Amino acid sequence: ILSRTIFNTKTPLQLSRMWYSSSVPTTKLFIDGKFVDSQTTEWIDIHNPATNEVVSRVPKATQEEMQAAADSCSRAFHPWAETSILSRQQVFLRYQQLIKDNIKELARLITLEQGKTLADAEGDVFRGLQVVEHACSITSLMLGETLPSITKDMDTYTFRLPIGVCAGIAPFNFPAMIPLWMFPIGMVCGNTYLMKPSERVPGCTMLLAKLIQDAGAPDGTLNIIHGQHAAVNFICDNPAIKAISFVGSNQAGEYIYNRGSANGKRVQSNMGAKNHGVVMPDANKENTLNQLVGAAFGAAGQRCMALSTAILVGEARDWLPELVERSKALRVNAGDQPGADVGPLISPEAKVRVNSLIQSGVDEGATLLLDGRAVNVPGYENGNFVGPTIISNVTPEMTCYKEEIFGPVLVVLEAADLDEAIALINNNPYGNGTAIFTNNGATARKYTHEVDVGQIGVNVPIPVPLPMFSFTGSRGSFRGDTNFYGKQGIQFYTQIKTVTSQWKAEDAGVSSPAVTMPTLR
Ligand code: NAD
């Protein structure tokens, strides 16, 4: 089944040209092991966010093309599910090496289409790579359970099996990491996978697809379609698809959760966030201010775990002027420029939205301590740049507090004590991530126990768990009951069979028919 494996292939760095051709390059579909041109008449332009030049076009796949992709997944399922677990493990061992070999090119594609700095883009790939590395331990992860002698001559054991064709729908902000949360875990469990990358950043996923093919994944085990609503509806409705992994906004996530679940599918849906960083006056000031600035403005605030809200407790309010000074020192520039700290937003529309949310703070009575709206980036005047922005004196009723801004904007609130800070956070509908900065263990312990948020950092600003744990966002940031990656990821992509067997010695005698419920005593 792995006869097509290319063992020593190093994917050339110019690989992207294989699916980009003509003066406006186009993104291909990946169907049944082939990169194919779409026959659609509907295309979406992809812009470099630093210049707004069109860098490529992505098709809205036709119904026939999407059906061909799903059929390919269905055909490939049984052979792949029956492939030995060691063979599947080998594919992912080769895959992790190919990702490492191509990390610079993957990062370049991310910066081109998404805008984040090259160093940050490498981090994006690296966090996804860690999930692939973890997938290589599938021989342990998929172990079932055994209980011998549950009654005389009788044993019970469970095994985990793949569930069928699975699908992933990804957002624009982590073009490598989030698709790598999805198809590698689904596939290593023996499922086949239909992936729909964000229509704004498909290039990186296409290279990841080429690399998994080079690693030996058989034709049809991964198919890629492109598009927007029609592609999402196709995934929610297609009867061959048994499970959907979604990451993105609440609007899309709620819709996909409801529509997919109504069609009987498993759905895990990671959604929006408003992550609070609580600063206690006993914290290490130097460390805390640096962590806050990095976590608020890194990736231009376009991370679901960005620390976009600071709560300064008591005298920590006096640290605001220094917070502003450090934020001013960040360099706003195109992501591929040396020394860039903050890149552009994804689109002109995102920039307009972020700017209007900043203005809403001013209009509703907050104080604009640092205004990044008029930032000038020489040579990139058409880019979607917003500089680091800090809004203080914010209250929970204000629009800039209630909305996920998803830009380089830190809103600052104050609290008299820890209880007030915790109450504020527990009142917020989101539950993705939070952090507390303190030097007091008892304060940290109280916080981690009482705050109703799924991922908590203690002196750690962006506590995204490594893949041996799971990504445990909660409340308004998650729908479903089984999280991404870690043990829960394996659970999501597998079903359990429980076998109870009795083997008696031949001379054990024959019992009479039992018509009462077997009690196994
Ligand atoms: P988005 O919801 O606009 O897009 C995500 C995917 O859904 C895309 O593939 C898109 O084609 C599709 N989509 C968009 N609108 C849709 C609709 N109305 N109906 C059906 N499908 C639709 O999200 P985005 O702008 O790409 O990403 C940013 C959002 O993702 C932020 O809210 C961020 O917090 C969230 N996010 C969450 C996590 C997490 O793990 N919780 C991680 C990353 C991003």
Side-chain angles (χ1 to χ4, degrees):
I1 199 162
L2 302 180
S3 58
R4 209 186 16 69
T5 305
I6 309 163
F7 284 99
N8 294 318
T9 309
K10 252 196 152 183
T11 304
L13 292 187
Q14 306 86 332
L15 187 72
S16 52
R17 291 178 206 281
M18 288 180 63
W19 56 83
Y20 292 163
S21 58
S22 90
S23 57
V24 180
T26 55
T27 309
K28 307 243 182 198
L29 305 166
F30 184 49
I31 300 180
D32 217 26
K34 291 172 200 67
F35 291 93
V36 293
D37 288 312
S38 173
Q39 300 306 308
T40 189
T41 52
E42 293 180 89
W43 294 84
I44 304 161
D45 287 341
I46 297 172
H47 299 88
N48 176 343
T51 60
N52 272 310
E53 285 161 3
V54 176
V55 292
S56 60
R57 292 188 304 163
V58 66
K60 291 188 186 177
T62 64
Q63 289 295 325
E64 293 72 28
E65 289 163 346
M66 295 192 285
Q67 190 58 51
D71 289 346
S72 167
C73 285
S74 295
R75 279 194 307 276
F77 172 62
H78 282 290
W80 181 238
E82 292 300 321
T83 301
S84 79
I85 198 158
L86 290 174
S87 302
R88 295 207 302 268
Q89 183 189 40
Q90 287 299 318
V91 169
F92 283 89
L93 284 164
R94 289 191 289 274
Y95 192 38
Q96 58 81 29
Q97 187 58 50
L98 288 174
I99 293 174
K100 280 181 193 142
D101 293 345
N102 288 277
I103 197 163
K104 296 270 178 218
E105 177 62 1
L106 288 160
R108 189 190 69 75
L109 287 169
I110 292 173
T111 300
L112 177 72
E113 294 183 346
Q114 201 275 351
K116 65 176 72 173
T117 67
L118 279 171
D120 196 32
E122 280 194 35
D124 183 339
V125 182
F126 200 83
R127 289 307 300 254
L129 170 64
Q130 289 170 332
V131 177
V132 176
E133 288 171 337
H134 187 64
C136 295
S137 53
I138 191 63
T139 41
S140 304
L141 296 172
M142 256 177 99
L143 283 176
E145 295 177 320
T146 311
L147 194 59
S149 300
I150 54 159
T151 188
K152 182 141 176 50
D153 300 325
M154 201 180 272
D155 309 312
T156 298
Y157 58 93
T158 64
F159 43 83
R160 290 192 172 275
L161 294 167
I163 47 181
V165 180
C166 302
I169 301 168
F172 80 84
N173 65 330
F174 281 98
M177 180 183 80
I178 289 176
L180 290 173
W181 287 359
M182 297 176 173
F183 67 81
I185 300 295
M187 287 170 68
V188 80
C189 289
N191 302 289
T192 54
Y193 216 94
L194 181 63
M195 189 70 216
K196 192 203 89 63
S198 166
E199 66 278 17
R200 299 193 264 193
V201 294
C204 178
T205 304
M206 298 312 288
L207 180 50
L208 288 171
K210 176 66 183 143
L211 297 179
I212 203 164
Q213 184 178 50
D214 288 354
D219 292 350
T221 51
L222 175 66
N223 283 271
I224 297 179
I225 59 172
H226 301 294
Q228 294 171 312
H229 298 102
V232 165
N233 287 343
F234 176 85
I235 288 171
C236 291
D237 296 346
N238 191 287
I241 294 168
K242 305 296 178 216
I244 303 173
S245 296
F246 169 82
V247 178
S249 65
N250 282 64
Q251 193 193 6
E254 295 284 352
Y255 173 82
I256 290 166
Y257 183 86
N258 292 334
R259 189 159 175 158
S261 305
N263 284 324
K265 303 178 198 306
R266 288 185 187 182
V267 187
Q268 53 178 191
S269 183
N270 266 8
M271 303 179 291
K274 195 81 179 174
N275 307 310
H276 299 68
V278 175
V279 183
M280 300 302 290
D282 62 27
N284 176 317
K285 183 175 172 187
E286 196 53 28
N287 183 47
T288 302
L289 291 178
N290 286 339
Q291 303 274 36
L292 264 184
V293 169
F297 305 123
Q302 296 177 117
R303 290 182 183 137
C304 67
M305 289 289 278
L307 218 46
S308 56
T309 308
I311 304 181
L312 306 181
V313 177
E315 283 151 23
R317 79 174 75 84
D318 299 339
W319 301 359
L320 257 180
E322 257 188 79
L323 187 68
V324 173
E325 284 315 306
R326 282 174 206 226
S327 307
K328 269 186 193 162
L330 295 180
R331 286 155 298 183
V332 182
N333 209 340
D336 61 0
Q337 293 303 299
D341 294 311
V342 178
L345 294 174
I346 185 70
S347 64
E349 295 76 24
K351 178 174 170 171
V352 168
R353 181 178 168 277
V354 168
N355 283 347
S356 76
L357 281 165
I358 296 170
Q359 187 58 38
S360 77
V362 177
D363 296 344
E364 293 172 26
T367 309
L368 193 51
L369 284 182
L370 181 61
D371 185 358
R373 288 177 293 180
V375 67
N376 177 32
V377 183
Y380 295 92
E381 285 75 11
N382 290 331
N384 312 317
F385 293 95
V386 176
T389 298
I390 298 181
I391 312 175
S392 67
N393 292 321
V394 170
T395 61
E397 302 72 38
M398 292 181 183
T399 313
C400 66
Y401 177 77
K402 288 193 281 195
E403 294 272 321
E404 179 185 33
I405 299 179
F406 226 55
V409 182
L410 179 66
V411 300
V412 183
L413 292 85
E414 290 175 18
D417 54 27
L418 183 62
D419 283 323
E420 194 181 318
I422 292 173
L424 191 71
I425 297 167
N426 289 351
N427 248 338
N428 188 287
Y430 293 110
N432 209 38
T434 186
I436 186 163
F437 299 92
T438 180
N439 270 331
N440 183 317
T443 302
R445 186 172 189 283
K446 176 181 163 75
Y447 189 73
T448 54
H449 282 250
E450 293 184 15
V451 79
D452 193 3
V453 174
Q455 306 179 101
I456 305 168
V458 177
N459 299 318
V460 173
I462 304 187
V464 176
L466 279 170
M468 57 295 282
F469 298 93
S470 298
F471 190 98
T472 51
S474 62
R475 293 198 284 140
S477 300
F478 181 67
R479 289 290 299 275
D481 39 38
T482 315
N483 292 115
F484 279 80
Y485 65 78
K487 285 188 187 132
Q488 297 201 35
I490 301 295
Q491 217 172 310
F492 183 77
Y493 286 122
T494 53
Q495 54 187 319
I496 296 178
K497 276 190 183 166
T498 308
V499 181
T500 302
S501 63
Q502 187 174 45
W503 293 101
K504 291 182 179 182
E506 280 199 19
D507 58 358
V510 181
S511 52
S512 51
V515 290
T516 53
M517 181 66 191
T519 54
L520 302 182
R521 280 183 291 186

